[in-house]
Structure formats: C-alpha cells, structure tokens
Amino acid sequence: MAEHHHDHNDHHDEGFWRKYIFSVDHKVIGIQYGITSLFFLLVGFCLMLAMRWQLAYPENAFITQDQYNMFGAMHGTIMVFLGVVPLAVGAFGNYMVPIQVGAPDMAFPRLNMASYWVYFVGGVVMMLGFLTPGGAAQSGWTSYAPLSVLAGKGAFWDGQTMWLLGMVFLITSSLLGSANIIVTIFQLRAPGLTFMRLPFFIWTQLVTSFLLLLAFPPLEAAGILQLMDRVAGTSFFMPSGLVVSDVVQDYSGGSPLLWQHLFWFLAHPEVYVLILPAMGIVGEIIANNTRKPLWGYKSMVYASIFLGFMSFMVWAHHMYMTGMGTAISAFFQATTMIISIPSVIILTAFFISLWGGAIRFNTPMLFALGFLPMFGIGGLTGLPLGLNTSDIHLHDTYYVIGHFHYVVAPGTIFALFAGIYYWYPKVTGKRMNETLGKIHFFGSMICMNLVFMPMFAMGLAGVSRRLWDGGVSYAHAQEVLNLNTFSTHGAIGLAFFQLFFIFNFFGSLFSKEKADDNLWQATTLEWCAAPSPPIPHLNFATIPEVHRGPYEYSVPGHNTDFLPQTLKETEA
Ligand code: HEM
Ligand SMILES: [Cu+2]
C-alpha cells in the first residue's frame, strides 16, 4: 500500500530508470500517460487528415480503398482506446485523483505502473498492425464478424489479429487502472473529506472507473473468442453455410450477432467513459471561473451515478437494424430516452451555474464554455438515432458520424484541452500563454463546426459512412458532394490552429516565470494544499485536513471570494 511504499522510498535516491521510466509515483505515471496519449491523438488526427483529403478529392485516389478502410478503423480505435480514455482516465485521473482526495499516492502504486506499461505494449502491438503484409485492421473500430474473422485470414500475422491482441492488452490495462482509482477514492480520502465534499471531477472518475471495470471484461472475452475463430478454427461468431466468392466457408453454428452484443455491451458504457471525465473537468473549471458553487452539485452527483447505471441497459440501440422485434426494440428505445435525462440535468446545471457569475474568460474557461453547446448538439442529435423509426433512415450514415463526433471532438476534446490549460501550471509550475491559448480556442471552435456541421446534411441526404469515394458513385449523394470539400477545408484549418497549442505546450516549459501554487485561487486540495508541482512521492508537506465542501466561492461575509477546503471553521 501507498504508506508503506513511501517510508521505504524516502531513505534513498532513485536512479534515472526508477525515477522517470519505471516510476511508481502516480504523478510521473500520469505524465507518461499524458504524453503517450497526446502522441496517439496526433497519430489518429493525421490518419483522419489523410481520409478527409481522400474524401474531398476522390478522383485523385490519394489513398487506396484498403488504406481508407485501415485508416478509418485505426483512427476510431486509436482515438478512443489509445487517445481519449488514456488521457482522461490514465493521465488526468492518475495525476489528479490522489491529490484532490489528499492522498500521497494511488492505493496500489506498482499496479499503477503495470497499468501504464500494459497500455504502452497494447499501443505498440496495435501499431505493429501497420507493418504486417496486409496492413492494419480494416473492419472498422467495431470489428463486426463475419467480416473481421475473414479479413486477411490465413496470413501468418496480420492487422486484425494484431488489433485483437492489442485490445486484450488495452483492456487489461484499463481494468488494472480502474480498480486502482476506485480503491483510492474509497480508502485514501483525507480526514474530513466525506463523499459529498468530493470535487465533482472525483465523482466522475469514480463512476467512469466502475464502467470500465464492469463493461470491459465481456469484450476481453469476446476478443479472445474472435481470435480463436481466426487462428484456431472455432465458430463462435461464424454462421453455418456462409458463402464467400462462391465458396462455402468451413464454419458452423456460430452467431455474428453475439459479437455485436458483446461489443456494444462494452462500447456504449465506453462512450460515457469518454464523456464523464470531460464533464468532471468542465465542472471544476466552471466553479472556479464563475466564482460560484456548482449549482445543483448533489443532483449532478446522483445524475452521474444514475447515468453510469443506465449505461448498461441501452447497448442494443446500436442494433435496431438487426431485426430484433418490436418488444426488444421498444425496451431499448425507452431506456435510451431515459438515459438522456441525467445528461440533460448535468448540462442544465452547468448553464445555471453561469447565471449571475462574475465570469473570468481565461483559456480553460473558454474551452469549458465551448464544451457546453457542442456537447448539447452532440447529445440532442443522438435522440433521433435512439428511436427506431428515424434510425432506419439515419443508421450508418454521415449523420451518425456528425452526431458522435460532436460529443467526442468539440465535446470531450475541448474539455480535455480545458483541463490541460487549467492544470498545466500545477503539473509543471509554469503557465501557458493566454494569447496563444485564445487563438487556439477560437480557431478550433470555428473549424470544428465547419468540419462536422455539414455531416448532418450529408447524412440526412442518405450518404453512407465508411465510403472511400465520399459518395461519388451514388445518385442520391450528388447534391451534397461539395460538402465533402467544405468539411475537409475545415479540417485543414483545425490542424493549423492545433499548431498554436503544440507550440504553447512545449514552449511554456521554458518560461522563466514560476506559476503561483494557487494561481486560479481555487478551493480544492490540489491547489490549496500542494505546491506546484506537488512534492515527489508525497504530494503534500503534511496530509491535509478537510473542513468544508469543494466549491465555497463568494461565501457572504468573508473578505476573500474563496474558502479553501483546508480552512477551519474557526479561521473562516
Ligand atoms: C478532431 C477531429 C476529428 C475529425 C475531423 C474526425 C473525422 C472522422 C472521419 C472523416 C471519419 C470517417 C468517416 C467514415 O469514413 O465513415 C471518422 C471516423 C471515426 N472517428 Fe473521428 N474524427 C475526429 C476526431 C475523433 C475523436 C476525438 C474520436 C474519438 C474519441 C473519433 C472517433 C471516431 C470513430 C470511432 C470513427 C468510426 C470509425 C469506423 O467507422 O469504424 N474521431 N472520424
Ligand atoms: Cu450507445
């Protein structure tokens, strides 16, 4: 356990390897997660640029059809499993959870290190797929059987096999990490830090960790079964009598639909894994920059728990087209409408929190504010997809691509940017440049909408997703083909504005000025009780004691507008 480990470590200096590479300090591991996942986000972004260029000018055949499939599948996989989740949970969770709960480290520091390295290996295995003779996986991030089982089958090593192996590593890593976060939050809270005094960010990390812990095992099992279908001749997901190019395949008795069920049983909770930590970050920043308590903190906590619970009961809304029958379909339509309620509660609470606040428009706050309408658009456009009748038309069109990207790109990614700008001074002791930050925000805000808004129109016109030619060969797509070029130009603009971020991120490390320990004048423990950066292996000079709720801003009758959680009643 953490305490034991620290006594041990204080006595002697660690060498380079133990300090920076195989460290058990949650802060170093958080930074490792952060750097690795940002790198993967960049890789996923570059694959996307190649796809977008192809879609805008299909006549040039910039990439081949096989490459388009590969880039699409790997863009999705990389963004979700190697980029956003490791950044939101692995980096932000790892770094901030122990400090915000007033603990010297995670509950299981060695497990924490193992979780990072298993993730790293999973990433390498995934990327090795590109080096196989047939190239990386081509069956979408969803890997539906029978396509995925047949793809490149018989090759000694190939992309789909590497994808499955990679997933096994990534899932294992998430399981180790989420168990650690749960135990840390339950067991290592500082004296006085009751559950209703936890920052909202901690609540979202807790619910997220439960989702990872409970939803991933079925996919891990399913991944191994699909691997068996590919390499050991089993037929878990392969039906009898399947004919491919006039040849009857040697499989019998399996169920392709079983894969879809097992996949979406993970993947729906997974979308809440992508959004909950984002909401947590936005909550911290809104409270801090409106100088007000979060409006409806308790209802937000209960809404998050309810959201997590419900997220296990909606998965088949991805499968309306499989002929599930009206009773089952009615059930999943109802649960899907119900699960939108907690999201609406949280979003509404954020908007009400803004009311009457003396808002500070710094870069973290701008990104947090940008998140609100973008997530709103993403969420509301999901409702027609949750209803069977409208989904028959919209299923597998660009409307779906537009919908979920509003949630994960200008939604989650904006929240993650907000978190980086907000906590960078805590982690590095340096401030990021505000002017560059604002250019980054406004440029990204405009370009994100140029990229994704046209996709709704294309989808409503019936253009399918996963098309190499962007719809050129379809009569019904002709009217909207020009939107492909439009969207691609938006993506190039988006890439341009990210340069300001990259420059700011690395450049600020060399800034001479040291950031204040509590430069945002915040109330939570990472700001009011720990130096910037926090002390190696201990975080705090002494373990803090907590005397009040997380967001006591602008409390009447005091001469400061914030009361740190460590402030005693008698001192206030
Ligand atoms: C930031 C700008 C982004 C742009 C411009 C973008 C663009 C695209 C495009 C053009 C496609 C392929 C559409 C098709 O051919 O069907 C796609 C697919 C996808 N994207 Fe993104 N994307 C972005 C970010 C993200 C992020 C942050 C995530 C996840 C967190 C993500 C997850 C996915 C997934 C899961 C797919 C589906 C892959 C598949 O069809 O199997 N994207 N994206
Ligand atoms: Cu879903």
Side-chain angles (χ1 to χ4, degrees), residues 1-12:
M1 295 287 282
E3 290 85 339
H4 168 76
H5 154 80
H6 292 297
D7 300 340
H8 174 74
N9 257 300
D10 289 340
H11 298 305
H12 52 90

Side-chain angles (χ1 to χ4, degrees), residues 45 48 51-52 55 68 72 75-76 79-80 84 140-141 398 401 404-405 408-409 413 448 451-452 465-467 494:
F45 193 82
M48 174 282 287
M51 288 192 295
R52 282 268 31 126
L55 292 170
Y68 188 88
H75 160 79
M79 286 299 198
V80 173
V84 172
W141 83 292
Y398 259 90
I401 302 287
F404 75 75
H405 279 89
V408 294
I413 295 279
M448 282 282 190
V451 177
F452 293 118
R465 65 191 284 197
R466 294 173 174 163
L467 292 178
L494 187 61

Side-chain angles (χ1 to χ4, degrees), residues 190-203:
L193 189 55
T194 56
F195 274 95
M196 281 302 155
R197 283 177 173 175
L198 287 175
F200 184 56
F201 176 76
I202 298 292
W203 273 107

Side-chain angles (χ1 to χ4, degrees), residues 282-294 365 551 553:
V282 168
E284 297 303 296
I285 294 171
I286 286 189
N288 177 251
N289 289 299
T290 53
R291 314 305 287 165
K292 282 175 58 193
L294 271 187
M365 186 60 171
Y551 308 115
Y553 287 107

Side-chain angles (χ1 to χ4, degrees), residues 393 397 457-464 467 471-481:
H393 179 64
T397 65
M458 298 193 72
L460 287 166
V463 181
S464 297
L467 292 178
V472 170
S473 51
Y474 292 84
H476 67 259
Q478 300 307 313
E479 302 272 301
V480 289
L481 282 180

